């Protein structure tokens, strides 16, 4: 029997937590092998920093701002109605942005009972606010690319492409209808009747479904990401 004093660190984790840590480790290794030299290129590191300290806070602020605009003071009371990255950043999600190209910030909490519109409509609006902010940042990045393309600066070009790509990937990733992603809230709001059982089942297996998609069927994320990027650059540049 292991003494209580030794049940720290790895031994103190539940089976599910150990699986999550293992999967995150696998994702980090996956990033190292798939991104090669691009992983630590100065342009990509700057883009990742912009994602962590700008895009992710904007994403979470968009959720908070929409909830507050609909009448719920919860994000404001919890200090999340701000662009300050320090209150939004999740360390593990930030590390994954660097190694895997996607990640997350601390989710904003809000109370649908406080809003002034239909709760299902409110859920859709609050959920979509975050991903929409990412696509808007991607559009701004493409516009910046169009404006600065004439300088013929490889560093600027690579930085903008990485920044746009990660924002579009976050847009697509967050719209997957799998808990805890934003797309799941849209799905549950659109489905008729009581969806509690479905929500509980998907919430239980959501993380593992996401991991299966990332490792087994990454094109579910990559294909729409590439199509959106091509469309943005085609129409803006």
């Amino acid at each position: 029997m292991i003494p209580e004093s030794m049940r720290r660190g790895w031994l103190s984790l539940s089976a599910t937590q150990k699986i999550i840590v293992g999967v995150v480790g696998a994702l980090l290794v996956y990033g190292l092998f798939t991104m090669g030299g691009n992983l630590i290129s100065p342009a990509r590191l700057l883009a990742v920093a912009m994602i962590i300290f700008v895009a992710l806070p904007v994403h979470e602020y968009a959720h908070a701002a929409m909830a507050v605009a609909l009448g719920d003071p919860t994000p404001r009371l919890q200090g999340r109605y701000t662009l300050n990255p320090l209150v939004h950043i999740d360390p593990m999600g930030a590390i994954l942005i660097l190694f895997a190209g996607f990640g997350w910030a601390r989710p904003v909490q809000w109370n649908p009972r406080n809003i002034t519109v239909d709760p299902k409509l409110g859920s859709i609006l609050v959920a979509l606010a975050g991903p929409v902010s990412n696509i808007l940042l991607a559009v701004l990045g493409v516009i910046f690319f169009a404006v600065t393309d004439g300088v013929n600066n490889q560093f600027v070009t690579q930085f903008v492409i990485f920044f746009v790509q990660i924002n579009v990937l976050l847009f697509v990733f967050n719209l997957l209808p799998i808990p805890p992603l934003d797309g799941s809230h849209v799905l549950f709001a659109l489905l008729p009747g009581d969806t509690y059982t479905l929500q509980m089942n998907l919430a239980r297996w959501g993380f593992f479904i996401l991991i299966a998609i990332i490792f087994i069927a990454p094109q579910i994320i990559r294909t729409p990401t590439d199509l959106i990027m091509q469309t943005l650059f085609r129409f803006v540049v």
Side-chain angles (χ1 to χ4, degrees):
M1 182 176 180
I2 300 174
E4 185 64 29
S5 60
M6 296 180 60
R7 294 186 60 81
R8 298 175 181 175
W10 178 257
L11 293 177
S12 66
L13 299 178
S14 67
T16 300
Q17 289 173 325
K18 290 178 181 179
I19 292 173
I20 292 175
V21 171
V23 169
V24 169
L27 285 173
L28 299 185
V29 174
Y30 174 80
L32 287 171
F33 279 97
T34 58
M35 295 184 186
N38 285 333
L39 184 66
I40 57 174
S41 72
R44 186 177 186 279
L45 290 177
L46 179 59
V48 167
M50 287 290 289
I51 294 295
I52 293 173
F53 292 103
V54 177
L56 291 182
V58 167
H59 178 108
E60 296 304 326
Y61 173 76
H63 287 309
M66 181 60 73
V68 170
L70 295 176
D72 178 30
T74 303
R76 191 193 299 274
L77 295 175
Q78 293 184 346
R80 303 300 302 277
Y81 187 62
T82 176
L83 288 171
N84 179 2
L86 297 181
V87 304
H88 295 298
I89 291 175
D90 178 274
M92 186 61 70
I95 291 173
L96 280 177
I97 288 287
L98 173 62
F99 285 94
F102 64 89
W104 55 80
R106 292 175 53 225
V108 167
Q109 296 179 347
W110 66 287
N111 190 344
R113 296 185 181 91
N114 293 333
I115 62 176
T116 56
V117 299
D118 178 76
K120 287 194 172 186
L121 174 60
S123 294
I124 293 174
L125 293 175
V126 174
L128 290 180
V132 168
S133 73
N134 287 118
I135 204 66
L136 291 177
L137 287 173
V139 170
L140 290 177
V142 175
I143 293 173
F144 179 79
F145 178 85
V147 172
T148 61
D149 189 45
V151 302
N152 195 28
N153 187 302
Q154 184 179 8
F155 175 84
V156 173
T157 299
Q158 290 180 343
F159 159 72
V160 174
I161 290 176
F162 281 131
F163 180 78
V164 172
Q165 182 184 46
I166 297 175
N167 267 296
V168 174
L169 193 150
L170 288 172
F171 169 77
V172 173
F173 180 73
N174 276 285
L175 285 181
L176 292 176
I178 304 168
L181 301 179
D182 298 323
S184 67
H185 300 295
V186 176
L187 172 65
F188 298 143
L190 292 175
L191 289 176
D194 185 2
T195 61
Y196 178 79
T197 301
L198 176 62
Q199 290 184 47
M200 291 300 100
N201 287 332
L202 281 179
R204 182 181 305 166
W205 300 104
F207 177 80
F208 300 101
I209 295 173
L210 287 175
I211 295 306
I213 290 174
I214 292 168
F215 283 108
I216 300 174
Q219 292 308 311
I220 291 177
I221 301 173
R222 292 293 180 181
T223 297
T225 296
D226 292 341
L227 289 174
I228 293 172
M229 284 194 64
Q230 292 170 12
T231 301
L232 289 177
F233 279 99
R234 183 181 302 116
F235 282 96
V236 177
V237 177

